[in-house]
Amino acid sequence: MKKFIITVVGHDTVGIIAKVCTYLAGIQVNILDISQTIVDGYFNMMMIVDAGNVEDVTKMSGGLSALGEEIGVIIRCQHEDIFNMMHRV
C-alpha cells in the first residue's frame, strides 16, 4: 500500500469533491479516509488515499494540480511519510 495525503483548499463551489474523486477513481486510487469542511465560504478537504496501483506518482500529483487549477482550488499531494515528518511535534 502506498498511502498519500491529498489536501484541497479554495473557495467553495459545486462539485469539488465529485471532480477530485472522479479523477482518483479514473486512475485506480482508493480513498481510505476523507474529511471536509467549509468555513465562511472556504472549502478545505483532506484525503488519505492508497495509490498502490499508480505507476507514476509524479503524473498523479501533476494531474491533481492541473485539476485544481481547472476548478479553482489548490490541490497538493504528499507521500504519507513526508506528511508525517512535516507535522511531527
Side-chain angles (χ1 to χ4, degrees), residues 62-75:
L64 285 166
S65 292
L67 174 63
E69 288 180 26
E70 180 184 313
I71 62 177
V73 297
I74 298 169
I75 303 178

Side-chain angles (χ1 to χ4, degrees), residues 22-88:
T22 298
Y23 174 81
L24 294 172
I27 59 171
Q28 300 300 306
V29 172
N30 187 34
I31 299 168
L32 302 173
D33 200 356
I34 184 171
S35 172
Q36 68 91 28
T37 187
I38 300 166
V39 177
D40 197 25
Y42 291 97
F43 178 87
N44 186 23
M45 177 169 67
M46 184 172 123
M47 307 170 90
I48 301 172
V49 301
D50 175 8
N53 294 325
V54 175
E55 290 183 28
D56 189 349
V57 175
T58 303
K59 185 176 177 182
M60 175 184 77
S61 182
L64 285 166
S65 292
L67 174 63
E69 288 180 26
E70 180 184 313
I71 62 177
V73 297
I74 298 169
I75 303 178
R76 300 283 185 246
C77 180
Q78 294 178 306
H79 190 278
E80 177 186 39
D81 294 340
I82 294 171
F83 184 87
N84 287 334
M85 293 302 283
M86 289 177 58
H87 294 88
R88 272 187 151 173

